[in-house]
């Protein structure tokens, strides 16, 4: 025979509307707050999904617009590739070279990222933005997927963190209330030490 009740039975016994006279008011409040937090966390799942979907849609459209404005041209390297300056000691700046290209009959020059083995006179692909200046390669549509999933997971993580902090704060407050009540009850029934 089992000496301890099952988990579902213990949860059922903690319901706030229980008629058990041994259930303290702080236990009832704790049960109500825990129930509300569970309901809010369950409701946050579709909210996070909706936010992630909206982010994905907006990012995918932005990537589509940005990529449509970029044009690929062939440029000629004017010098060998050199190491690009890095903004951080933990990030490799890659390699860069000065290049020259012709677009719509106009010649232009600029410094772009290249492969490390690029030599002077080599043909280098360059992506130009709508202003005719070098821009990065077109972004992959997969970036929108990762952005949407990341934002959705971040919303879930933040709501879970807030829930844990609320539970922790509730435990501190209600634990303090219980301790004060136990202390006052103990003083009523116990004699002072030494008498």
């Amino acid at each position: 025979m089992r000496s301890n009740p099952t988990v579902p039975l213990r949860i059922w016994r903690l319901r706030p509307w229980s008629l058990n006279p041994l259930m303290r008011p702080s236990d009832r409040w704790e049960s109500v707050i825990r129930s509300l937090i569970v309901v809010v966390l369950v409701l946050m799942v579709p909210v996070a999904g909706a936010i992630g979907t909206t982010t994905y849609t907006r990012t995918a459209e932005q990537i589509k617009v940005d990529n449509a404005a970029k044009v690929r041209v062939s440029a000629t390297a004017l010098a060998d590739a050199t190491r690009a300056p890095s903004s951080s000691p933990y990030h490799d700046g890659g390699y860069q070279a000065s290049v020259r290209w012709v677009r719509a009959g106009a010649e232009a020059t600029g410094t772009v990222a290249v492969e490390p083995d690029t030599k002077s006179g080599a043909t280098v692909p360059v992506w130009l933005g709508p202003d005719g200046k070098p821009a990065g390669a077109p972004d992959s549509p997969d970036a929108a997927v990762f952005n949407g999933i990341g934002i959705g997971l971040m919303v879930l993580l933040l709501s879970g963190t807030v829930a844990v902090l609320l539970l922790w704060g509730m435990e501190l407050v209600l634990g303090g209330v219980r301790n004060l009540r136990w202390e006052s009850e103990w003083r009523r029934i116990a004699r002072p030490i030494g008498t």
Side-chain angles (χ1 to χ4, degrees):
M1 180 170 186
R2 293 179 67 143
S3 61
N4 294 330
T6 62
V7 172
L9 182 59
R10 282 185 288 176
I11 292 173
W12 176 251
R13 288 179 180 168
L14 288 175
R15 66 193 186 281
W17 57 88
S18 172
L19 299 177
N20 185 346
L22 297 177
M23 191 171 188
R24 300 169 293 207
S26 62
D27 293 334
R28 294 181 194 281
W29 278 108
E30 185 175 351
S31 182
V32 166
I33 293 171
R34 283 181 187 270
S35 300
L36 286 174
I37 287 175
V38 167
V39 168
V40 168
L41 283 177
V42 168
L43 292 176
M44 283 307 295
V45 172
V47 170
I51 291 171
T53 302
T54 303
T55 302
Y56 161 76
T57 305
R58 189 176 341 110
T59 306
E61 186 61 34
Q62 186 63 41
I63 288 173
K64 186 177 175 184
V65 168
D66 289 347
N67 289 349
K70 293 180 181 178
V71 176
R72 182 178 177 182
V73 296
S74 293
T76 304
L78 300 176
D80 292 347
T82 59
R83 187 167 287 279
S86 176
S87 60
S88 165
Y90 306 108
H91 180 263
D92 181 19
Y95 288 83
Q96 66 183 10
S98 294
V99 296
R100 177 179 48 230
W101 66 88
V102 177
R103 179 170 181 235
E107 186 176 299
T109 60
T111 302
V112 297
V114 294
E115 296 295 322
D117 58 349
T118 303
K119 301 291 183 200
S120 178
T123 301
V124 178
V126 176
W127 288 93
L128 302 177
D131 58 356
K133 295 182 179 175
D139 293 325
S140 168
D142 295 341
V145 173
F146 293 121
N147 196 12
I149 291 172
I151 294 294
L153 289 176
M154 189 172 67
V155 168
L156 282 178
L157 181 66
L158 286 175
S159 59
T161 302
V162 168
V164 167
L165 290 175
L166 283 174
L167 285 172
W168 179 67
M170 176 194 65
E171 290 289 334
L172 286 177
V173 170
L174 293 179
V177 169
R178 281 192 289 264
N179 289 340
L180 288 174
R181 292 190 81 184
W182 284 345
E183 187 177 333
S184 71
E185 288 175 12
W186 185 254
R187 284 188 180 150
R188 277 188 261 144
I189 63 170
R191 295 186 323 220
I193 295 176
T195 59

